[in-house]
């Protein structure tokens, strides 16, 4: 073979070998990149505890996770509404229990005043106590929760009842309009209590009854006894309102319990979609680490040959 022929043969072999080497090197680099990506994903899953790092990881799982998060956000709103309702109703319950106790005390005083043994000064002292009960009752009727009167409905006033210049107590505007809270889809519960239902209005209001009782006590025993029927009627109205508040309170508590169960179920489902099984994730991480090291080892053996490798 001529020198030129040998030269051409060497050149052609070298070029062919270089092309083969380039292809092998590219394959090795691709293997390393793929192994590195799998390792990085496994590492991210273990460190974050989440299976889905980005939407493209699991499109269906991402949609399900977003749906579950929206449902949990709604349950959180319902839970906060229920907590607010419990506070409203609890405040009303305490106020009505106090109002009931005040009326019971007023009845005891009315019975005491009905005795002929009371002197004029003694009757005046009892009347003073009753007037004090009337003032306490007005303060009770104006009980507030977070600055809003619980017996005032949607009134914009700071009190549910106010005494006019003539001393007559009247409900504020808007006191009859209800305040409600949504505890679940389609489940609304009224959280306030109608002031006039609990405390009456006009001549039948507890304020008018107590005012008249104080005047009757001063006038004499017969007039005091005549007010007992009105006191009992006022006490009945307040007791009815108290029972109604208790019923609604129990309903809200039941809704809270049901909502807590729903939240637990949704949270469990969310974890099933989003969270990794740590033991499984650690095994996968170890597997991908080994695969990455193997890819690096294989690539290390791919070295650029010299011309002597083609002469052998």
């Amino acid at each position: 073979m001529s020198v030129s022929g040998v030269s051409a043969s060497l050149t052609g072999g070298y070029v062919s070998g270089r092309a083969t080497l380039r292809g092998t090197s590219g394959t090795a680099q691709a293997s390393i990149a793929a192994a590195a990506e799998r390792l990085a994903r496994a590492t991210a899953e273990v460190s974050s505890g989440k299976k889905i790092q980005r939407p493209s990881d699991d499109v269906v799982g991402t949609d399900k996770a977003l749906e579950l998060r929206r449902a949990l956000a709604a349950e959180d709103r319902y839970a906060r509404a229920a907590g607010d309702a419990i506070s409203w109703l609890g405040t009303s319950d305490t106020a009505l229990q106090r109002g009931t106790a005040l009326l019971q005390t007023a009845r005891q005083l009315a019975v005491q005043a009905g005795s002929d043994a009371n002197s004029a000064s003694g009757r005046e002292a009892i009347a003073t106590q009753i007037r004090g009960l009337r003032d306490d009752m007005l303060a009770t009727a104006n009980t507030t929760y977070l600055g809003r009167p619980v017996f005032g409905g949607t009134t914009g006033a700071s009190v549910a009842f106010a005494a006019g210049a003539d001393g007559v107590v009247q409900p504020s505007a808007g006191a009859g309009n209800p305040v409600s809270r949504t505890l679940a889809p389609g489940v609304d519960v009224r959280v306030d209590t109608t002031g006039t239902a609990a405390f009456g209005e006009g001549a039948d209001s507890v304020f008018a009854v107590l005012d008249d009782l104080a005047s009757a006590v001063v006038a004499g025993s017969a007039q005091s006894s005549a007010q007992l029927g009105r006191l009992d009627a006022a006490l009945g109205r307040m007791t009815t309102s108290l029972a109604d508040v208790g019923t609604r309170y129990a309903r809200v508590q039941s809704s809270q319990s049901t909502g807590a169960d729903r939240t637990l179920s949704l949270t469990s489902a969310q974890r099933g979609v989003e969270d990794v099984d740590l033991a499984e994730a650690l095994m996968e991480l170890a597997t991908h680490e080994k695969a990455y090291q193997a890819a690096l080892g294989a690539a290390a053996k791919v070295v650029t040959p010299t011309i002597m490798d083609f002469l052998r």
Side-chain angles (χ1 to χ4, degrees):
M1 180 182 292
S2 65
V3 174
S4 60
V6 172
S7 176
S9 176
L10 289 174
T11 302
Y14 181 75
V15 171
S16 175
R18 186 170 58 182
T20 300
L21 179 61
R22 186 181 299 114
T24 302
S25 177
T27 300
Q29 290 176 0
S31 297
I32 292 174
E37 183 178 355
R38 289 191 291 270
L39 177 59
R41 179 174 176 179
T43 302
E45 287 184 358
V46 171
S47 61
S48 68
K50 299 296 181 182
K51 288 188 286 190
I52 303 175
Q53 302 299 317
R54 53 184 181 271
S56 59
D57 290 341
D58 184 351
V59 176
V60 175
T62 298
D63 288 343
K64 185 65 175 177
L66 290 174
E67 180 182 348
L68 288 168
R69 289 187 180 188
R70 285 192 292 269
L72 282 168
E75 289 301 329
D76 180 64
R77 290 195 299 272
Y78 296 140
R80 284 187 279 112
D84 187 59
I86 285 290
S87 296
W88 267 86
L89 292 168
T91 303
S92 299
D93 182 86
T94 300
L96 288 171
Q97 288 191 45
R98 175 168 173 72
T100 299
L102 291 173
L103 282 177
Q104 290 171 339
T105 300
R107 195 181 192 288
Q108 293 170 0
L109 291 172
V111 172
Q112 179 182 342
S115 172
D116 291 329
N118 291 297
S119 63
S121 60
R123 292 196 300 273
E124 184 59 44
I126 293 174
T128 299
Q129 292 182 65
I130 293 173
R131 294 188 189 100
L133 292 175
R134 183 262 196 193
D135 293 339
D136 289 344
M137 186 67 76
L138 181 56
T140 299
N142 286 325
T143 297
T144 61
Y145 168 66
L146 297 180
R148 296 182 62 181
V150 295
F151 300 107
T154 57
T155 181
S158 60
V159 294
F161 294 89
D166 56 358
V168 177
V169 176
Q170 297 290 343
S172 301
N177 299 323
V179 177
S180 300
R181 293 291 180 268
T182 300
L183 308 182
V187 179
D188 295 323
V189 174
R190 183 174 183 177
V191 297
D192 71 316
T193 299
T194 304
T196 53
F199 298 91
E201 67 180 317
D204 292 328
S205 73
V206 292
F207 316 109
V209 171
L210 291 173
D211 282 337
D212 291 346
L213 176 60
S215 299
V217 167
V218 173
S221 60
Q223 289 87 340
S224 300
S225 299
Q227 298 299 318
L228 290 177
R230 296 178 67 198
L231 273 174
D232 288 340
L235 186 59
R237 284 193 299 269
M238 195 165 293
T239 301
T240 298
S241 292
L242 183 59
D244 177 59
V245 168
T247 299
R248 285 182 281 147
Y249 191 96
R251 184 183 177 191
V252 175
Q253 284 186 314
S254 176
S255 180
Q256 278 185 313
S257 178
T258 302
D261 290 341
R262 285 197 303 266
T263 297
L264 183 62
S265 177
L266 289 168
T267 300
S268 177
Q270 181 191 34
R271 288 174 178 170
V273 173
E274 297 186 16
D275 294 358
V276 299
D277 182 321
L278 188 56
E280 181 180 343
L282 287 171
M283 290 179 62
E284 287 189 7
L285 177 60
T287 299
H288 291 313
E289 284 179 336
K290 291 179 180 179
Y292 180 65
Q293 293 299 328
L296 289 176
K301 296 178 180 179
V302 181
V303 295
T304 303
T306 65
I307 192 171
M308 296 305 296
D309 293 315
F310 293 101
L311 293 176
R312 292 192 185 102

